Amino acid sequence: MDKDRKMIMFGLLLAAFVSPVFAGEWKASVVKSLDALVSSCVVIPCSFTHPEGNLPTSRLRGIWHISDQRDRCIYHYDDTLVLDNFKGRTKLLGHLGQSNCTLEIIEIKDHDSGPFCFRIELTKTETVAPEKFSFVEECVDLKMLPDPPKPKLTQLKSAVQGLPSVLTCTVPHTCPSRAPKLTWNKGIADGIIEVHREIHAGNWEMQSILTFIPEDKDDHSEVICTSTFNGGRTSSETLKLYVKRTENYSYVIIPTVAAIGTALIFAVFIIFIVKKYKSRIVELQSQEGSMWNRLSRLSRRVRTDDGK
Ligand SMILES: *[C@@H]1O[C@H](CO)[C@@H](O)[C@H](O)[C@H]1NC(C)=O
């Protein structure tokens, strides 16, 4: 009995969930909140589903308006209906025919916070007045960033003289259509790879990977990565580079070789001198001896003379 009631309840719940799917509904999916850098741009991801199957772009009309005020449009397929302070600053990047209602806003002003909501109109060819559909309003809140975020600079491992070293510079942004440019200081740019990826809905990351071979002179130098955002704002990050010297014994080997060489030359020279003059020394010694003999003979003679 109880079990039956449960089954019926479950069936009703299931029906409640499933029925909208069967009935077919217009639904939009817009990112709820997004950072936007003042003076730069933002791209708001947006997509929608509808029960009509594939519809040509020509029959679809997209509108973005300020929340709760349908007549205050920040984007409208009819340019003349766009609010003055948004004229020329908004563009539908997505193709409505591909169910894509992605919006780009450029030259962001600090009062562009929204919320902004997407609405679509479907025109039926056989009727003059377009049949208008509105979604349960799907809106985005823009959080204004007065200053650009700083890039993050990292060194994958400590730099060693003469070996390839890798530095990465990463900056978050929300404008993939006009992404920030990353640049490095000084001429160490041997190889740069750029990676641009979406981290999560509407939030992107620009990364620059620098590979270079550090030299002795790079030790204690500063590496600066600068991010230039659309609109001209910049931010940068500095990293002090420490270059480990490779084990190099030349400062020991060269003086040692020089010392040993000098000693050898000196020894050869000494031997040569000794050999050359040995004979003369002997000769001198013998001469000396004869002189000594003569002298002693002389003295003996003198003494004998005295004794006479
Ligand atoms: C919608 O259009 C934008 C801009 O062209 C594009 O970057 C994005 O990938 C599209 N989204 C989908 C889901 O196709």
Side-chain angles (χ1 to χ4, degrees), residues 37 147-154 168-172 180-185 222-229 232-240:
L37 174 61
D147 297 308
K150 268 191 153 201
K152 215 169 81 188
L153 241 178
T154 52
T168 65
C169 179
T170 312
V171 76
K181 288 174 179 65
L182 293 174
T183 49
W184 300 86
N185 68 323
E222 281 188 340
V223 179
I224 305 166
C225 175
T226 305
S227 178
T228 307
F229 293 84
R233 298 292 305 271
T234 63
S235 62
S236 60
E237 184 66 293
T238 305
L239 182 139
K240 192 124 186 208

PDB file of all heavy atoms in Angstrom, residues 37 147-154 168-172 180-185 222-229 232-240:
ATOM      1  N   LEU A  37      37.477  44.054 -17.312  1.00  0.00           N
ATOM      2  CA  LEU A  37      38.488  45.088 -17.076  1.00  0.00           C
ATOM      3  C   LEU A  37      38.048  46.400 -17.711  1.00  0.00           C
ATOM      4  O   LEU A  37      37.794  46.466 -18.917  1.00  0.00           O
ATOM      5  CB  LEU A  37      39.831  44.627 -17.657  1.00  0.00           C
ATOM      6  CG  LEU A  37      40.971  45.638 -17.641  1.00  0.00           C
ATOM      7  CD1 LEU A  37      41.319  46.065 -16.222  1.00  0.00           C
ATOM      8  CD2 LEU A  37      42.193  45.067 -18.345  1.00  0.00           C
ATOM      9  N   ASP A 147      41.628  47.805 -12.196  1.00  0.00           N
ATOM     10  CA  ASP A 147      43.029  47.613 -12.602  1.00  0.00           C
ATOM     11  C   ASP A 147      43.230  46.221 -13.159  1.00  0.00           C
ATOM     12  O   ASP A 147      42.609  45.266 -12.703  1.00  0.00           O
ATOM     13  CB  ASP A 147      43.944  47.807 -11.394  1.00  0.00           C
ATOM     14  CG  ASP A 147      43.849  49.226 -10.865  1.00  0.00           C
ATOM     15  OD1 ASP A 147      44.007  50.157 -11.658  1.00  0.00           O
ATOM     16  OD2 ASP A 147      43.565  49.387  -9.657  1.00  0.00           O
ATOM     17  N   PRO A 148      44.127  46.114 -14.136  1.00  0.00           N
ATOM     18  CA  PRO A 148      44.354  44.796 -14.739  1.00  0.00           C
ATOM     19  C   PRO A 148      45.037  43.840 -13.763  1.00  0.00           C
ATOM     20  O   PRO A 148      45.823  44.278 -12.916  1.00  0.00           O
ATOM     21  CB  PRO A 148      45.266  45.093 -15.932  1.00  0.00           C
ATOM     22  CG  PRO A 148      45.879  46.412 -15.654  1.00  0.00           C
ATOM     23  CD  PRO A 148      44.945  47.171 -14.776  1.00  0.00           C
ATOM     24  N   PRO A 149      44.736  42.543 -13.862  1.00  0.00           N
ATOM     25  CA  PRO A 149      45.410  41.568 -12.996  1.00  0.00           C
ATOM     26  C   PRO A 149      46.875  41.441 -13.387  1.00  0.00           C
ATOM     27  O   PRO A 149      47.230  41.651 -14.552  1.00  0.00           O
ATOM     28  CB  PRO A 149      44.651  40.275 -13.272  1.00  0.00           C
ATOM     29  CG  PRO A 149      44.055  40.454 -14.618  1.00  0.00           C
ATOM     30  CD  PRO A 149      43.802  41.911 -14.790  1.00  0.00           C
ATOM     31  N   LYS A 150      47.689  41.136 -12.385  1.00  0.00           N
ATOM     32  CA  LYS A 150      49.139  40.962 -12.633  1.00  0.00           C
ATOM     33  C   LYS A 150      49.394  39.590 -13.222  1.00  0.00           C
ATOM     34  O   LYS A 150      48.760  38.624 -12.818  1.00  0.00           O
ATOM     35  CB  LYS A 150      49.888  41.040 -11.302  1.00  0.00           C
ATOM     36  CG  LYS A 150      50.373  42.418 -10.947  1.00  0.00           C
ATOM     37  CD  LYS A 150      51.320  42.333  -9.759  1.00  0.00           C
ATOM     38  CE  LYS A 150      52.302  43.476  -9.764  1.00  0.00           C
ATOM     39  NZ  LYS A 150      53.498  43.215  -8.988  1.00  0.00           N
ATOM     40  N   PRO A 151      50.329  39.500 -14.142  1.00  0.00           N
ATOM     41  CA  PRO A 151      50.684  38.154 -14.615  1.00  0.00           C
ATOM     42  C   PRO A 151      51.434  37.389 -13.527  1.00  0.00           C
ATOM     43  O   PRO A 151      51.988  37.997 -12.607  1.00  0.00           O
ATOM     44  CB  PRO A 151      51.583  38.418 -15.815  1.00  0.00           C
ATOM     45  CG  PRO A 151      52.003  39.826 -15.735  1.00  0.00           C
ATOM     46  CD  PRO A 151      51.091  40.551 -14.815  1.00  0.00           C
ATOM     47  N   LYS A 152      51.406  36.078 -13.637  1.00  0.00           N
ATOM     48  CA  LYS A 152      52.132  35.234 -12.683  1.00  0.00           C
ATOM     49  C   LYS A 152      53.355  34.666 -13.402  1.00  0.00           C
ATOM     50  O   LYS A 152      53.241  34.049 -14.449  1.00  0.00           O
ATOM     51  CB  LYS A 152      51.219  34.095 -12.206  1.00  0.00           C
ATOM     52  CG  LYS A 152      51.446  33.718 -10.754  1.00  0.00           C
ATOM     53  CD  LYS A 152      50.359  32.798 -10.245  1.00  0.00           C
ATOM     54  CE  LYS A 152      50.611  31.362 -10.674  1.00  0.00           C
ATOM     55  NZ  LYS A 152      49.483  30.465 -10.350  1.00  0.00           N
ATOM     56  N   LEU A 153      54.519  34.921 -12.811  1.00  0.00           N
ATOM     57  CA  LEU A 153      55.777  34.488 -13.429  1.00  0.00           C
ATOM     58  C   LEU A 153      56.330  33.319 -12.632  1.00  0.00           C
ATOM     59  O   LEU A 153      56.504  33.424 -11.422  1.00  0.00           O
ATOM     60  CB  LEU A 153      56.776  35.641 -13.348  1.00  0.00           C
ATOM     61  CG  LEU A 153      57.329  36.214 -14.640  1.00  0.00           C
ATOM     62  CD1 LEU A 153      58.254  37.363 -14.348  1.00  0.00           C
ATOM     63  CD2 LEU A 153      58.017  35.174 -15.454  1.00  0.00           C
ATOM     64  N   THR A 154      56.605  32.220 -13.293  1.00  0.00           N
ATOM     65  CA  THR A 154      57.194  31.095 -12.572  1.00  0.00           C
ATOM     66  C   THR A 154      58.362  30.501 -13.334  1.00  0.00           C
ATOM     67  O   THR A 154      58.415  30.534 -14.562  1.00  0.00           O
ATOM     68  CB  THR A 154      56.160  29.976 -12.301  1.00  0.00           C
ATOM     69  OG1 THR A 154      55.532  29.655 -13.528  1.00  0.00           O
ATOM     70  CG2 THR A 154      55.119  30.368 -11.292  1.00  0.00           C
ATOM     71  N   THR A 168      57.533  30.626 -17.261  1.00  0.00           N
ATOM     72  CA  THR A 168      56.174  30.806 -17.778  1.00  0.00           C
ATOM     73  C   THR A 168      55.572  32.066 -17.184  1.00  0.00           C
ATOM     74  O   THR A 168      55.834  32.411 -16.044  1.00  0.00           O
ATOM     75  CB  THR A 168      55.248  29.618 -17.456  1.00  0.00           C
ATOM     76  OG1 THR A 168      55.079  29.557 -16.040  1.00  0.00           O
ATOM     77  CG2 THR A 168      55.797  28.301 -17.964  1.00  0.00           C
ATOM     78  N   CYS A 169      54.781  32.744 -18.013  1.00  0.00           N
ATOM     79  CA  CYS A 169      54.095  33.966 -17.587  1.00  0.00           C
ATOM     80  C   CYS A 169      52.624  33.768 -17.954  1.00  0.00           C
ATOM     81  O   CYS A 169      52.291  33.483 -19.093  1.00  0.00           O
ATOM     82  CB  CYS A 169      54.689  35.161 -18.326  1.00  0.00           C
ATOM     83  SG  CYS A 169      53.902  36.712 -17.894  1.00  0.00           S
ATOM     84  N   THR A 170      51.761  33.882 -16.939  1.00  0.00           N
ATOM     85  CA  THR A 170      50.353  33.573 -17.143  1.00  0.00           C
ATOM     86  C   THR A 170      49.474  34.711 -16.638  1.00  0.00           C
ATOM     87  O   THR A 170      49.697  35.208 -15.533  1.00  0.00           O
ATOM     88  CB  THR A 170      49.994  32.284 -16.372  1.00  0.00           C
ATOM     89  OG1 THR A 170      50.980  31.302 -16.651  1.00  0.00           O
ATOM     90  CG2 THR A 170      48.642  31.752 -16.771  1.00  0.00           C
ATOM     91  N   VAL A 171      48.498  35.092 -17.450  1.00  0.00           N
ATOM     92  CA  VAL A 171      47.592  36.154 -17.005  1.00  0.00           C
ATOM     93  C   VAL A 171      46.137  35.761 -17.326  1.00  0.00           C
ATOM     94  O   VAL A 171      45.851  35.224 -18.391  1.00  0.00           O
ATOM     95  CB  VAL A 171      47.989  37.519 -17.644  1.00  0.00           C
ATOM     96  CG1 VAL A 171      47.579  37.626 -19.096  1.00  0.00           C
ATOM     97  CG2 VAL A 171      47.438  38.672 -16.829  1.00  0.00           C
ATOM     98  N   PRO A 172      45.233  35.981 -16.348  1.00  0.00           N
ATOM     99  CA  PRO A 172      43.827  35.671 -16.603  1.00  0.00           C
ATOM    100  C   PRO A 172      43.152  36.837 -17.337  1.00  0.00           C
ATOM    101  O   PRO A 172      43.582  37.974 -17.199  1.00  0.00           O
ATOM    102  CB  PRO A 172      43.249  35.517 -15.197  1.00  0.00           C
ATOM    103  CG  PRO A 172      44.085  36.388 -14.333  1.00  0.00           C
ATOM    104  CD  PRO A 172      45.456  36.446 -14.955  1.00  0.00           C
ATOM    105  N   PRO A 180      44.930  39.567 -24.302  1.00  0.00           N
ATOM    106  CA  PRO A 180      46.116  40.350 -23.938  1.00  0.00           C
ATOM    107  C   PRO A 180      47.376  39.781 -24.587  1.00  0.00           C
ATOM    108  O   PRO A 180      47.443  38.591 -24.902  1.00  0.00           O
ATOM    109  CB  PRO A 180      46.176  40.211 -22.413  1.00  0.00           C
ATOM    110  CG  PRO A 180      45.354  39.026 -22.079  1.00  0.00           C
ATOM    111  CD  PRO A 180      44.321  38.902 -23.148  1.00  0.00           C
ATOM    112  N   LYS A 181      48.360  40.655 -24.789  1.00  0.00           N
ATOM    113  CA  LYS A 181      49.634  40.226 -25.375  1.00  0.00           C
ATOM    114  C   LYS A 181      50.684  40.193 -24.277  1.00  0.00           C
ATOM    115  O   LYS A 181      50.787  41.125 -23.493  1.00  0.00           O
ATOM    116  CB  LYS A 181      50.062  41.200 -26.473  1.00  0.00           C
ATOM    117  CG  LYS A 181      49.197  41.049 -27.712  1.00  0.00           C
ATOM    118  CD  LYS A 181      49.506  42.100 -28.762  1.00  0.00           C
ATOM    119  CE  LYS A 181      48.627  41.891 -29.985  1.00  0.00           C
ATOM    120  NZ  LYS A 181      47.187  42.095 -29.687  1.00  0.00           N
ATOM    121  N   LEU A 182      51.452  39.110 -24.239  1.00  0.00           N
ATOM    122  CA  LEU A 182      52.498  38.983 -23.234  1.00  0.00           C
ATOM    123  C   LEU A 182      53.857  39.217 -23.883  1.00  0.00           C
ATOM    124  O   LEU A 182      54.144  38.670 -24.946  1.00  0.00           O
ATOM    125  CB  LEU A 182      52.455  37.591 -22.601  1.00  0.00           C
ATOM    126  CG  LEU A 182      51.211  37.287 -21.759  1.00  0.00           C
ATOM    127  CD1 LEU A 182      51.210  35.848 -21.305  1.00  0.00           C
ATOM    128  CD2 LEU A 182      51.134  38.219 -20.561  1.00  0.00           C
ATOM    129  N   THR A 183      54.673  40.049 -23.241  1.00  0.00           N
ATOM    130  CA  THR A 183      56.011  40.323 -23.777  1.00  0.00           C
ATOM    131  C   THR A 183      57.055  40.198 -22.671  1.00  0.00           C
ATOM    132  O   THR A 183      56.742  40.387 -21.494  1.00  0.00           O
ATOM    133  CB  THR A 183      56.101  41.743 -24.379  1.00  0.00           C
ATOM    134  OG1 THR A 183      55.570  42.672 -23.437  1.00  0.00           O
ATOM    135  CG2 THR A 183      55.332  41.838 -25.681  1.00  0.00           C
ATOM    136  N   TRP A 184      58.278  39.856 -23.075  1.00  0.00           N
ATOM    137  CA  TRP A 184      59.388  39.702 -22.126  1.00  0.00           C
ATOM    138  C   TRP A 184      60.390  40.821 -22.338  1.00  0.00           C
ATOM    139  O   TRP A 184      60.540  41.306 -23.446  1.00  0.00           O
ATOM    140  CB  TRP A 184      60.083  38.356 -22.360  1.00  0.00           C
ATOM    141  CG  TRP A 184      59.180  37.170 -22.184  1.00  0.00           C
ATOM    142  CD1 TRP A 184      58.359  36.630 -23.134  1.00  0.00           C
ATOM    143  CD2 TRP A 184      59.005  36.380 -21.007  1.00  0.00           C
ATOM    144  NE1 TRP A 184      57.682  35.556 -22.616  1.00  0.00           N
ATOM    145  CE2 TRP A 184      58.065  35.380 -21.309  1.00  0.00           C
ATOM    146  CE3 TRP A 184      59.572  36.429 -19.720  1.00  0.00           C
ATOM    147  CZ2 TRP A 184      57.670  34.421 -20.378  1.00  0.00           C
ATOM    148  CZ3 TRP A 184      59.167  35.483 -18.796  1.00  0.00           C
ATOM    149  CH2 TRP A 184      58.220  34.491 -19.125  1.00  0.00           C
ATOM    150  N   ASN A 185      61.099  41.203 -21.279  1.00  0.00           N
ATOM    151  CA  ASN A 185      62.148  42.225 -21.437  1.00  0.00           C
ATOM    152  C   ASN A 185      63.396  41.578 -22.022  1.00  0.00           C
ATOM    153  O   ASN A 185      63.571  40.370 -21.967  1.00  0.00           O
ATOM    154  CB  ASN A 185      62.459  42.870 -20.089  1.00  0.00           C
ATOM    155  CG  ASN A 185      63.128  41.903 -19.130  1.00  0.00           C
ATOM    156  OD1 ASN A 185      62.803  40.731 -19.108  1.00  0.00           O
ATOM    157  ND2 ASN A 185      64.057  42.380 -18.357  1.00  0.00           N
ATOM    158  N   GLU A 222      67.115  40.787 -13.884  1.00  0.00           N
ATOM    159  CA  GLU A 222      65.670  40.770 -13.674  1.00  0.00           C
ATOM    160  C   GLU A 222      64.950  40.395 -14.961  1.00  0.00           C
ATOM    161  O   GLU A 222      65.227  40.951 -16.021  1.00  0.00           O
ATOM    162  CB  GLU A 222      65.192  42.145 -13.198  1.00  0.00           C
ATOM    163  CG  GLU A 222      65.464  42.353 -11.726  1.00  0.00           C
ATOM    164  CD  GLU A 222      64.837  43.619 -11.194  1.00  0.00           C
ATOM    165  OE1 GLU A 222      64.513  44.514 -11.989  1.00  0.00           O
ATOM    166  OE2 GLU A 222      64.671  43.695  -9.959  1.00  0.00           O
ATOM    167  N   VAL A 223      64.034  39.462 -14.840  1.00  0.00           N
ATOM    168  CA  VAL A 223      63.208  39.092 -15.983  1.00  0.00           C
ATOM    169  C   VAL A 223      61.840  39.726 -15.749  1.00  0.00           C
ATOM    170  O   VAL A 223      61.256  39.564 -14.678  1.00  0.00           O
ATOM    171  CB  VAL A 223      63.062  37.563 -16.098  1.00  0.00           C
ATOM    172  CG1 VAL A 223      62.188  37.204 -17.280  1.00  0.00           C
ATOM    173  CG2 VAL A 223      64.422  36.905 -16.240  1.00  0.00           C
ATOM    174  N   ILE A 224      61.350  40.463 -16.729  1.00  0.00           N
ATOM    175  CA  ILE A 224      60.057  41.134 -16.582  1.00  0.00           C
ATOM    176  C   ILE A 224      59.104  40.646 -17.671  1.00  0.00           C
ATOM    177  O   ILE A 224      59.461  40.615 -18.842  1.00  0.00           O
ATOM    178  CB  ILE A 224      60.191  42.679 -16.669  1.00  0.00           C
ATOM    179  CG1 ILE A 224      61.206  43.186 -15.644  1.00  0.00           C
ATOM    180  CG2 ILE A 224      58.845  43.356 -16.460  1.00  0.00           C
ATOM    181  CD1 ILE A 224      61.653  44.622 -15.873  1.00  0.00           C
ATOM    182  N   CYS A 225      57.913  40.234 -17.236  1.00  0.00           N
ATOM    183  CA  CYS A 225      56.872  39.846 -18.196  1.00  0.00           C
ATOM    184  C   CYS A 225      55.776  40.898 -18.115  1.00  0.00           C
ATOM    185  O   CYS A 225      55.300  41.219 -17.028  1.00  0.00           O
ATOM    186  CB  CYS A 225      56.311  38.465 -17.857  1.00  0.00           C
ATOM    187  SG  CYS A 225      54.931  38.000 -18.922  1.00  0.00           S
ATOM    188  N   THR A 226      55.400  41.441 -19.270  1.00  0.00           N
ATOM    189  CA  THR A 226      54.391  42.499 -19.304  1.00  0.00           C
ATOM    190  C   THR A 226      53.179  42.034 -20.103  1.00  0.00           C
ATOM    191  O   THR A 226      53.318  41.451 -21.169  1.00  0.00           O
ATOM    192  CB  THR A 226      54.972  43.782 -19.937  1.00  0.00           C
ATOM    193  OG1 THR A 226      56.141  44.145 -19.218  1.00  0.00           O
ATOM    194  CG2 THR A 226      53.978  44.920 -19.896  1.00  0.00           C
ATOM    195  N   SER A 227      52.009  42.294 -19.523  1.00  0.00           N
ATOM    196  CA  SER A 227      50.761  41.954 -20.189  1.00  0.00           C
ATOM    197  C   SER A 227      50.105  43.238 -20.672  1.00  0.00           C
ATOM    198  O   SER A 227      49.874  44.150 -19.874  1.00  0.00           O
ATOM    199  CB  SER A 227      49.856  41.219 -19.202  1.00  0.00           C
ATOM    200  OG  SER A 227      48.639  40.917 -19.819  1.00  0.00           O
ATOM    201  N   THR A 228      49.840  43.308 -21.978  1.00  0.00           N
ATOM    202  CA  THR A 228      49.172  44.490 -22.531  1.00  0.00           C
ATOM    203  C   THR A 228      47.762  44.078 -22.954  1.00  0.00           C
ATOM    204  O   THR A 228      47.587  43.252 -23.840  1.00  0.00           O
ATOM    205  CB  THR A 228      49.954  45.048 -23.736  1.00  0.00           C
ATOM    206  OG1 THR A 228      51.307  45.243 -23.336  1.00  0.00           O
ATOM    207  CG2 THR A 228      49.358  46.350 -24.221  1.00  0.00           C
ATOM    208  N   PHE A 229      46.792  44.650 -22.268  1.00  0.00           N
ATOM    209  CA  PHE A 229      45.392  44.286 -22.513  1.00  0.00           C
ATOM    210  C   PHE A 229      44.811  45.134 -23.637  1.00  0.00           C
ATOM    211  O   PHE A 229      45.297  46.247 -23.898  1.00  0.00           O
ATOM    212  CB  PHE A 229      44.568  44.493 -21.240  1.00  0.00           C
ATOM    213  CG  PHE A 229      44.949  43.542 -20.131  1.00  0.00           C
ATOM    214  CD1 PHE A 229      46.026  43.832 -19.296  1.00  0.00           C
ATOM    215  CD2 PHE A 229      44.249  42.365 -19.935  1.00  0.00           C
ATOM    216  CE1 PHE A 229      46.397  42.957 -18.284  1.00  0.00           C
ATOM    217  CE2 PHE A 229      44.617  41.492 -18.927  1.00  0.00           C
ATOM    218  CZ  PHE A 229      45.684  41.787 -18.101  1.00  0.00           C
ATOM    219  N   GLY A 232      44.860  49.048 -23.997  1.00  0.00           N
ATOM    220  CA  GLY A 232      46.139  49.671 -23.661  1.00  0.00           C
ATOM    221  C   GLY A 232      46.626  49.537 -22.228  1.00  0.00           C
ATOM    222  O   GLY A 232      47.757  49.894 -21.940  1.00  0.00           O
ATOM    223  N   ARG A 233      45.769  49.036 -21.327  1.00  0.00           N
ATOM    224  CA  ARG A 233      46.236  48.886 -19.929  1.00  0.00           C
ATOM    225  C   ARG A 233      47.308  47.797 -19.879  1.00  0.00           C
ATOM    226  O   ARG A 233      47.233  46.812 -20.622  1.00  0.00           O
ATOM    227  CB  ARG A 233      45.073  48.488 -19.002  1.00  0.00           C
ATOM    228  CG  ARG A 233      43.952  49.501 -18.909  1.00  0.00           C
ATOM    229  CD  ARG A 233      44.322  50.790 -18.210  1.00  0.00           C
ATOM    230  NE  ARG A 233      44.872  50.602 -16.861  1.00  0.00           N
ATOM    231  CZ  ARG A 233      44.141  50.541 -15.749  1.00  0.00           C
ATOM    232  NH1 ARG A 233      42.835  50.598 -15.815  1.00  0.00           N
ATOM    233  NH2 ARG A 233      44.727  50.408 -14.576  1.00  0.00           N
ATOM    234  N   THR A 234      48.289  48.004 -18.983  1.00  0.00           N
ATOM    235  CA  THR A 234      49.342  46.995 -18.839  1.00  0.00           C
ATOM    236  C   THR A 234      49.550  46.639 -17.376  1.00  0.00           C
ATOM    237  O   THR A 234      49.190  47.400 -16.472  1.00  0.00           O
ATOM    238  CB  THR A 234      50.701  47.490 -19.406  1.00  0.00           C
ATOM    239  OG1 THR A 234      51.116  48.615 -18.637  1.00  0.00           O
ATOM    240  CG2 THR A 234      50.618  47.853 -20.865  1.00  0.00           C
ATOM    241  N   SER A 235      50.136  45.491 -17.171  1.00  0.00           N
ATOM    242  CA  SER A 235      50.546  45.064 -15.827  1.00  0.00           C
ATOM    243  C   SER A 235      51.767  44.182 -16.044  1.00  0.00           C
ATOM    244  O   SER A 235      51.931  43.584 -17.109  1.00  0.00           O
ATOM    245  CB  SER A 235      49.430  44.290 -15.138  1.00  0.00           C
ATOM    246  OG  SER A 235      49.118  43.119 -15.849  1.00  0.00           O
ATOM    247  N   SER A 236      52.636  44.147 -15.044  1.00  0.00           N
ATOM    248  CA  SER A 236      53.820  43.307 -15.233  1.00  0.00           C
ATOM    249  C   SER A 236      54.286  42.675 -13.928  1.00  0.00           C
ATOM    250  O   SER A 236      53.868  43.068 -12.841  1.00  0.00           O
ATOM    251  CB  SER A 236      54.937  44.113 -15.880  1.00  0.00           C
ATOM    252  OG  SER A 236      55.271  45.202 -15.061  1.00  0.00           O
ATOM    253  N   GLU A 237      55.130  41.682 -14.093  1.00  0.00           N
ATOM    254  CA  GLU A 237      55.676  40.967 -12.939  1.00  0.00           C
ATOM    255  C   GLU A 237      57.168  40.762 -13.184  1.00  0.00           C
ATOM    256  O   GLU A 237      57.612  40.553 -14.316  1.00  0.00           O
ATOM    257  CB  GLU A 237      54.953  39.627 -12.776  1.00  0.00           C
ATOM    258  CG  GLU A 237      55.366  38.832 -11.556  1.00  0.00           C
ATOM    259  CD  GLU A 237      55.012  39.475 -10.227  1.00  0.00           C
ATOM    260  OE1 GLU A 237      55.592  40.535  -9.919  1.00  0.00           O
ATOM    261  OE2 GLU A 237      54.180  38.931  -9.493  1.00  0.00           O
ATOM    262  N   THR A 238      57.944  40.849 -12.093  1.00  0.00           N
ATOM    263  CA  THR A 238      59.402  40.740 -12.200  1.00  0.00           C
ATOM    264  C   THR A 238      59.895  39.534 -11.417  1.00  0.00           C
ATOM    265  O   THR A 238      59.357  39.213 -10.363  1.00  0.00           O
ATOM    266  CB  THR A 238      60.045  42.017 -11.629  1.00  0.00           C
ATOM    267  OG1 THR A 238      59.499  43.134 -12.299  1.00  0.00           O
ATOM    268  CG2 THR A 238      61.548  42.019 -11.815  1.00  0.00           C
ATOM    269  N   LEU A 239      60.894  38.887 -11.962  1.00  0.00           N
ATOM    270  CA  LEU A 239      61.490  37.740 -11.282  1.00  0.00           C
ATOM    271  C   LEU A 239      63.007  37.893 -11.339  1.00  0.00           C
ATOM    272  O   LEU A 239      63.556  38.249 -12.374  1.00  0.00           O
ATOM    273  CB  LEU A 239      61.050  36.459 -11.991  1.00  0.00           C
ATOM    274  CG  LEU A 239      61.513  35.115 -11.439  1.00  0.00           C
ATOM    275  CD1 LEU A 239      60.348  34.121 -11.510  1.00  0.00           C
ATOM    276  CD2 LEU A 239      62.679  34.541 -12.210  1.00  0.00           C
ATOM    277  N   LYS A 240      63.650  37.662 -10.205  1.00  0.00           N
ATOM    278  CA  LYS A 240      65.111  37.757 -10.184  1.00  0.00           C
ATOM    279  C   LYS A 240      65.677  36.391 -10.560  1.00  0.00           C
ATOM    280  O   LYS A 240      65.287  35.378  -9.993  1.00  0.00           O
ATOM    281  CB  LYS A 240      65.586  38.163  -8.787  1.00  0.00           C
ATOM    282  CG  LYS A 240      67.033  38.564  -8.762  1.00  0.00           C
ATOM    283  CD  LYS A 240      67.172  39.964  -8.189  1.00  0.00           C
ATOM    284  CE  LYS A 240      68.588  40.471  -8.274  1.00  0.00           C
ATOM    285  NZ  LYS A 240      68.872  41.430  -7.210  1.00  0.00           N
TER     286      LYS A 240
END
